[in-house]
Amino acid sequence: MAILVFVLKWLQWKYLIVDNAIDIYVGLIAVFFTILGIWLATQLTKPKVEQVIVEKEVYVPLSEDFAINQSALEALNLTKREFEILQLISSGHSNAEIADNLFLSLSTVKTHLSNLYVKMDVKRRTQAVDRAKKLQIVP
Amino acid sequence: MAILVFVLKWLQWKYLIVDNAIDIYVGLIAVFFTILGIWLATQLTKPKVEQVIVEKEVYVPLSEDFAINQSALEALNLTKREFEILQLISSGHSNAEIADNLFLSLSTVKTHLSNLYVKMDVKRRTQAVDRAKKLQIVP
DNA sequence: ATGGAGCTCATACTTTAGTACCATTTTCTG
DNA sequence: CAGAAAATGGTACTAAAGTATGAGCTCCAT
């Protein structure tokens, strides 16, 4: 603003003696401030963010080709721990190994498994694994 | 431009008699043209678009039918009976059930399984099943 | 014919898995 | 905050799985 006033005063002194110089003066100001406005606008407008979703085909390797059957899993109504332990017996772990991995006692693992067998309607861990694979709730 | 000149003339006539009114005059012009510039900029410039590319993984389903990995099976060097019993434990059968199905004694089943575990380099039936599935020698 | 491979079975044993029942603590949830 | 659900753990027991060893049988190839 200080600069602006100074410029105005200078222009006033220089051109005020000339008749009609006021028109040129105003024209210059108009042009100047129009450019200023344009510059302000380009600086201040936020860029619109546009999300472009690119579908990328993923050929999953056989070992990882597994999409969990969420509905089947929910139908079984398993708890977190039960499902966790189911995953571990599916990959061939013994109860003792599971207890070690999850920092649980053997008792707890057995308790979870017993409840799991009831929920899955099976009698053995091997049956549980077979059923889980058929239901596609484990790889 | 015609409108602009008209407005200027009008303002000139109205305020020129007043001393220092020129400052207000110029201020108004400045504000007006700044706004004009902003308006022009928003109208004329293309909207800035920031593209955010989001990769969406599309899982390509693989064929469901099971093709046995013959070479892996041969590499294990299993006998007929051992493979037969492997298939049965894979579907969750107990040793007693296997003995019944194949008209064998429990001892025989256990013997075959012990040999099987050695050949597959596993310690438990669940590990054997897991490995067999990973090798794709059972569904 | 004979020796090896595969199949069968047995006994005796150890280990692991599974059942039943109970108790405490933690974590949600209405 | 009270009650339910989940998680944890213990004991005692039974059932199943797994190990080790030995032995008889059949079939096939050298």
Side-chain angles (χ1 to χ4, degrees):
Chain A
M1 268 300 162
I3 294 169
L4 175 60
V5 168
F6 179 80
V7 168
L8 291 181
K9 284 296 173 189
W10 178 74
L11 287 170
Q12 214 169 8
W13 171 81
K14 193 168 186 183
Y15 291 106
L16 219 55
I17 32 169
V18 184
D19 263 2
N20 291 334
I22 191 72
D23 294 344
I24 300 166
Y25 175 38
V26 168
L28 285 173
I29 292 172
V31 170
F32 174 76
F33 281 97
T34 302
I35 292 169
L36 178 68
I38 291 172
W39 178 79
L40 276 175
T42 56
Q43 291 300 311
L44 297 181
T45 53
K46 292 174 188 171
K48 285 181 184 173
V49 176
E50 184 176 295
Q51 275 200 350
V52 180
I53 294 175
V54 179
E55 289 198 345
K56 180 187 179 186
E57 285 192 346
V58 180
Y59 294 93
V60 228
L62 272 171
S63 55
E64 290 177 17
D65 170 40
F66 171 70
I68 194 166
N69 186 339
Q70 204 65 39
S71 60
L73 178 57
E74 281 162 15
L76 285 178
N77 206 27
L78 303 183
T79 67
K80 269 187 192 174
R81 270 310 205 204
E82 285 163 359
F83 183 54
E84 210 172 355
I85 292 179
L86 172 60
Q87 292 175 315
L88 288 173
I89 66 172
S90 291
S91 47
H93 291 88
S94 68
N95 290 351
E97 287 171 349
I98 296 172
D100 280 353
N101 282 342
L102 302 182
F103 302 102
L104 295 177
S105 76
L106 194 57
S107 300
T108 308
V109 175
K110 286 185 176 184
T111 305
H112 285 314
L113 276 174
S114 277
N115 296 331
L116 177 69
Y117 297 155
V118 173
K119 288 186 183 176
M120 294 188 75
D121 191 31
V122 296
K123 292 194 180 303
R124 286 177 289 281
R125 58 170 52 216
T126 45
Q127 270 186 6
V129 171
D130 186 50
R131 178 169 283 255
K133 299 215 178 199
K134 280 180 179 153
L135 291 176
Q136 297 195 51
I137 58 179
V138 294
Chain B
M1 270 300 161
I3 295 169
L4 175 60
V5 169
F6 180 78
V7 169
L8 290 180
K9 285 295 172 190
W10 179 74
L11 286 168
Q12 216 168 6
W13 169 79
K14 192 168 187 184
Y15 290 107
L16 219 56
I17 33 169
V18 183
D19 263 1
N20 290 337
I22 189 73
D23 293 345
I24 298 166
Y25 175 39
V26 168
L28 285 174
I29 292 171
V31 170
F32 175 76
F33 280 97
T34 302
I35 292 169
L36 177 70
I38 291 173
W39 178 80
L40 276 175
T42 55
Q43 291 300 309
L44 297 181
T45 58
K46 292 172 185 173
K48 287 182 188 173
V49 174
E50 195 173 283
Q51 272 199 352
V52 178
I53 294 177
V54 179
E55 283 191 351
K56 183 186 175 188
E57 291 186 343
V58 179
Y59 290 93
V60 182
L62 298 176
S63 59
E64 289 176 10
D65 43 19
F66 169 74
I68 193 168
N69 186 341
Q70 203 65 40
S71 59
L73 178 56
E74 281 162 16
L76 284 178
N77 206 29
L78 303 183
T79 68
K80 269 188 193 175
R81 273 307 206 205
E82 285 162 0
F83 183 54
E84 211 173 353
I85 293 179
L86 173 60
Q87 292 174 315
L88 288 173
I89 65 170
S90 290
S91 48
H93 290 87
S94 67
N95 290 351
E97 287 171 350
I98 295 171
D100 282 354
N101 283 343
L102 302 183
F103 303 103
L104 295 177
S105 77
L106 194 56
S107 299
T108 309
V109 176
K110 286 185 177 184
T111 305
H112 285 313
L113 276 175
S114 276
N115 297 332
L116 177 70
Y117 296 157
V118 173
K119 288 185 183 176
M120 294 187 76
D121 191 30
V122 296
K123 293 194 179 301
R124 285 177 289 281
R125 57 172 50 216
T126 45
Q127 271 186 2
V129 172
D130 186 48
R131 179 169 283 256
K133 300 219 177 197
K134 281 184 178 151
L135 291 176
Q136 296 196 49
I137 59 179
V138 294

